[in-house]
């Protein structure tokens, strides 16, 4: 995508809710992530230059603002901000894991968006995640009697969310200015830690 000139990525993803105020059907625009994955290729920079990209604010704030404004006009339940915990998958969380995630105050749990958000950041691309809440994660099951998450239920609610997602994207895309006013494009400028100077022998 970078080679094709893409500057912005909008990445929808199904997720489970970790908090009672985020019911299924809600869209959450993640502003932070917690990485619980392993074995994924998480950087483009394997040497000789050391690059430590800033992830203080990994998701593009300007794109989140635009999405929130458009969602409000369309009466779509959208939360601007929330921490996504990204697990390895392809399984769902255990109850112990889900209770931990809930107790930490994290908003949603899913299996994607890391390392994608960091890779986009390394390339100076804007990245926005739209977490489509399809279910309550299992932390809530013992408290309320709600059934635990199943792939069938996730698929059903995800299909219901698709219509709202398409409406949102249709209105949001024209609202994105050609000129980027965020700092995403400049992230790499301050990320090089120790460039290796190679001397060419004559």
């Amino acid at each position: 995508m970078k080679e094709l000139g893409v500057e912005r990525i909008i990445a929808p993803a199904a997720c489970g809710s970790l908090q009672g105020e985020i019911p299924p059907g809600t869209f959450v625009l993640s502003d932070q992530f917690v990485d619980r994955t392993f074995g994924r290729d998480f950087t483009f920079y394997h040497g000789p230059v050391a690059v430590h990209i800033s992830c203080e604010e990994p998701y593009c704030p300007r794109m989140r603002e635009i999405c929130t404004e458009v969602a409000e006009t369309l009466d779509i339940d959208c939360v601007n901000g929330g921490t996504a915990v990204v697990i390895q998958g392809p399984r769902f969380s255990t109850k112990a894991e889900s209770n931990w995630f809930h107790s930490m105050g994290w908003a949603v749990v899913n299996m994607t968006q890391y390392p994608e958000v960091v890779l986009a950041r390394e390339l100076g691309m804007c990245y926005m995640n739209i977490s489509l809440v399809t279910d309550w994660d299992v932390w809530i099951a013992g408290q309320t009697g709600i059934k635990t998450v199943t792939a069938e239920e996730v698929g059903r609610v995800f299909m219901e969310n698709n219509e709202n997602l398409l409406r949102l994207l249709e209105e949001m895309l024209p609202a994105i200015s050609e000129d980027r006013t965020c700092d995403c494009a400049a992230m790499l400028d301050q990320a090089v830690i120790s460039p290796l100077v190679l001397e060419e022998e004559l």
Side-chain angles (χ1 to χ4, degrees):
M1 286 188 286
K2 178 68 174 180
E3 292 175 351
L4 293 173
V6 172
E7 294 181 336
R8 301 176 177 92
I9 296 175
I10 301 172
C15 69
S17 173
L18 295 170
Q19 303 301 329
E21 66 272 16
I22 308 176
T26 305
F27 290 4
V28 177
L29 310 183
S30 301
D31 63 348
Q32 294 289 310
F33 69 81
V34 173
D35 171 31
R36 295 286 300 161
T37 69
F38 56 88
R40 303 182 182 187
D41 195 355
F42 50 83
T43 182
F44 289 113
Y45 299 96
H46 298 285
V49 176
V51 174
H52 294 180
I53 203 75
S54 171
C55 282
E56 179 181 356
E57 193 167 12
Y59 301 90
C60 179
R62 180 56 187 146
M63 289 181 69
R64 290 193 291 109
E65 289 175 4
I66 294 172
C67 188
T68 302
E69 293 167 1
V70 173
E72 185 175 353
T73 65
L74 297 175
D75 198 26
I76 294 174
D77 189 6
C78 183
V79 178
N80 185 1
T83 296
V85 55
V86 186
I87 62 174
Q88 180 66 15
R91 65 174 177 82
F92 296 120
S93 305
T94 67
K95 190 172 181 182
E97 290 170 329
S98 189
N99 282 333
W100 173 37
F101 302 156
H102 166 70
S103 70
M104 295 300 293
W106 300 332
V108 295
V109 56
N110 77 344
M111 304 172 202
T112 61
Q113 69 184 288
Y114 181 87
E116 299 93 321
V117 59
V118 175
L119 295 175
R121 203 153 183 77
E122 287 188 343
L123 296 176
M125 302 167 74
C126 298
Y127 188 99
M128 184 189 71
N129 163 257
I130 305 176
S131 289
L132 312 175
V133 180
T134 57
D135 59 273
W136 298 104
D137 206 52
V138 295
W139 65 274
I140 204 170
Q143 302 178 34
T144 65
I146 295 176
K147 293 181 180 179
T148 57
V149 59
T150 65
E152 180 181 0
E153 179 68 7
V154 168
R156 183 186 68 80
V157 179
F158 186 78
M159 292 303 296
E160 292 177 356
N161 281 344
N162 275 349
E163 182 177 349
N164 278 338
L165 176 62
L166 292 174
R167 289 171 56 219
L168 181 63
L169 294 178
E170 185 178 8
E171 295 296 325
M172 179 184 172
L173 293 180
I176 298 176
S177 170
E178 292 184 2
D179 298 325
R180 291 196 283 177
T181 58
C182 58
D183 295 329
C184 298
M187 285 298 102
L188 191 58
D189 296 343
Q190 300 177 355
V192 178
I193 304 299
S194 54
L196 179 64
V197 179
L198 300 177
E199 295 183 359
E200 182 177 358
E201 294 185 5
L202 297 178

